[in-house]
Amino acid sequence: MKKRYAIVGTGGRAEFFYGAIVRDFKDTSELVAICDINQTRMDFTNGLLQKKYEYEAVPTYKADQFEEMIRTEKPDYVIVTTVDRTHHTYIIKAMELGCDVISEKPMTVDEEKCQEILDAIKRTGRQLRVTFNYRYAPHNTKIRELIMDGTIGDVHSVHFEWLLNTEHGADYFRRWHRDKRNGGGLLVHKSTHHFDLVNFWLGTRPDTVFAMGGLMFYGRENAEKRGETKFYQRATGNENAKDDPFALHLDRNEHLKGLYLNAEHEDGYQRDQSVFGDGINIEDTMGVMVRYKNKAIMTYSLNAYMPWEGFSVQINGSKGRIEMKVVEKSYVNSGGKKEDEGALKEKTIKVFPMFAPPYQVQIEEGVGGHGGGDPVLLRDIFEKASDDRFQRAASHVDGAMSILTGIAGNISLRTGQPVAVDKLVTF
């Protein structure tokens, strides 16, 4: 019996899942319906299913017909790839109607919505899985292996620096993420990946979080300070955007045109807003300190306007040190091939034992998006791999602990005070 899947939210991330269902896992899985606030976008999705994947068009349901979709199509699983602030709505409704749920990260955006999800899981007994593809990238799994095997002893501190560049980083300031109520800012929407990795690597949970940050590069006021005089509200068709390296022209990319530009008349959503416009209220420069339950500490930084994309991590333990550097290819969400998203240009892991020469660690060469993590994650989701020494499958608890680091960081940004994570929700 094939497992039945329905997807709510047919924007940029949805194809990652439905493409896999109808192409790679069609013997065990089937897509039975899609749901969105925008009919044009759903029609475009059905066009892709037919032309690109040679799959039949599936029934479409508007957002207010979500419950009707579940009752009619009877999916086993609902995949949630909507705007982050609505994740909890669909997660909870799906579970109450008898479905298990697979949610794109972040699980949700604040502690109240997180508590609602946790309560619904207790009430319904359904399962929720959060898709942390970075866990599955061979280089990230290798860090977990090295620490599990005691290579550097007990971990005492981590320094984690993530760089988003002027193409991918800027993209968060063009679209719905620029409004903090939609995605919780980058400390929740993006850093959930990074905070989850540290929880995963160290096998622990966050205890106390302190954060500082601000909007220091993007936004109109920052551009004015630098002497910019040419402004525009959106890039497509605007003379002032023609030579702007930060502009995204939807009419120059058929996929972006079909998914967003042609769908604007229904809901008014503009995918190509100026990164130096008004209305941006998320941070682009952040620094965070975290103390974990095992007493380890982390210093973390995220900057969203760097010349290159990727991250560096230094992990210090009682028997030595691990250093990792990863350079990722630049990309725009839905603007190219899925396998280019988070694909690697460079990766190195070096171990510095306390009383022995340092050495380079051999890393398996991953294939596919996000450093080779995407295909492994998809197999784990749709083929249900049971024996994984590294326990990479992320539960709702993992999903909660990663976002709660960012949520605590947002509270700290507002109050200037350290935040105890245990006080935010009750499991």
Side-chain angles (χ1 to χ4, degrees), residues 13 53 95 100 117 120 159 173 190 192 202 222 245 250 281 318 327 338 378 404:
R13 192 60 179 159
Y53 295 101
M95 290 193 295
D100 290 327
I117 292 171
H159 178 67
F173 298 82
K190 182 62 181 173
T192 183
L202 273 56
N222 290 320
L250 298 179
N281 58 19
S318 59
V327 179
K338 284 294 171 189
L378 290 168
L404 287 170

Side-chain angles (χ1 to χ4, degrees), residues 131-185:
T131 55
F132 287 119
N133 45 12
Y134 272 105
R135 287 182 171 209
Y136 294 83
H139 52 284
N140 291 329
T141 303
K142 178 58 73 173
I143 297 292
R144 165 85 161 160
E145 180 182 358
L146 290 169
I147 292 173
M148 284 175 67
D149 291 348
T151 306
I152 59 168
D154 296 327
V155 173
H156 297 317
S157 68
V158 178
H159 178 67
F160 197 141
E161 182 180 21
W162 197 283
L163 293 78
L164 292 166
N165 70 4
T166 50
E167 183 174 16
H168 181 212
D171 209 32
Y172 295 108
F173 298 82
R174 299 185 185 110
R175 46 192 175 137
W176 54 261
H177 309 74
R178 72 208 313 256
D179 186 346
K180 201 165 191 175
R181 71 190 177 90
N182 286 332

Side-chain angles (χ1 to χ4, degrees), residues 204-421:
T204 188
R205 297 181 180 184
D207 181 77
T208 307
V209 178
F210 178 72
M212 291 185 281
L215 182 63
M216 300 184 184
F217 180 77
Y218 297 110
R220 181 158 183 145
E221 290 182 8
N222 290 320
E224 288 173 341
K225 286 177 186 175
R226 293 192 296 272
E228 295 291 339
T229 57
K230 288 186 175 181
F231 291 94
Y232 56 91
Q233 191 272 322
R234 66 171 310 174
T236 303
N238 195 298
E239 190 69 27
N240 282 350
K242 276 188 175 180
D243 300 318
D244 181 5
F246 289 93
L248 179 68
H249 301 274
L250 298 179
D251 54 352
R252 299 179 186 176
N253 182 297
E254 286 303 312
H255 194 88
L256 291 173
K257 183 179 178 181
L259 201 56
Y260 297 109
L261 186 62
N262 294 346
E264 283 180 11
H265 66 279
E266 285 195 51
D267 55 23
Y269 175 57
Q270 295 177 339
R271 172 69 176 79
D272 60 343
Q273 296 173 77
S274 169
V275 301
F276 301 116
D278 292 317
I280 297 172
N281 58 19
I282 63 171
E283 299 80 18
D284 57 21
T285 308
M286 290 142 280
V288 183
M289 288 197 72
V290 183
R291 179 177 288 281
Y292 292 89
K293 293 291 187 183
N294 67 352
K295 305 303 180 185
I297 59 173
M298 175 176 69
T299 53
Y300 169 86
S301 70
L302 175 64
N303 295 275
Y305 45 90
M306 294 294 100
W308 60 274
E309 175 106 1
F311 63 101
S312 64
V313 181
Q314 296 81 43
I315 304 172
N316 303 302
S318 59
K319 295 181 180 179
R321 171 181 170 94
I322 298 171
E323 294 182 359
M324 176 165 67
K325 181 179 179 181
V326 174
V327 179
E328 296 184 353
K329 292 180 182 177
S330 188
Y331 71 96
V332 169
N333 188 276
S334 287
K337 297 178 180 177
K338 284 294 171 189
E339 57 267 28
D340 288 341
E341 294 189 5
L344 302 190
K345 294 172 70 175
E346 175 189 332
K347 60 181 183 299
T348 57
I349 297 176
K350 202 167 187 178
V351 173
F352 296 79
M354 193 169 280
F355 298 110
Y359 60 91
Q360 202 91 6
V361 175
Q362 292 298 310
I363 311 168
E364 174 191 340
E365 196 64 40
V367 178
H370 293 96
D374 285 349
V376 189
L377 167 70
L378 290 168
R379 283 199 301 273
D380 200 10
I381 290 173
F382 296 114
E383 290 183 350
K384 305 295 185 297
S386 56
D387 185 20
D388 180 8
R389 179 194 171 201
F390 306 112
Q391 298 179 318
R392 287 172 290 188
S395 69
H396 67 280
V397 176
D398 299 311
M401 296 319 301
S402 69
I403 58 169
L404 287 170
T405 310
I407 289 166
N410 279 335
I411 296 170
S412 184
L413 285 172
R414 293 196 301 268
T415 64
Q417 300 297 314
V419 177
V421 173

Side-chain angles (χ1 to χ4, degrees), residues 26 48 50 86 98 190:
K26 57 187 177 184
L48 285 177
Q50 293 172 296
T86 64
K190 182 62 181 173

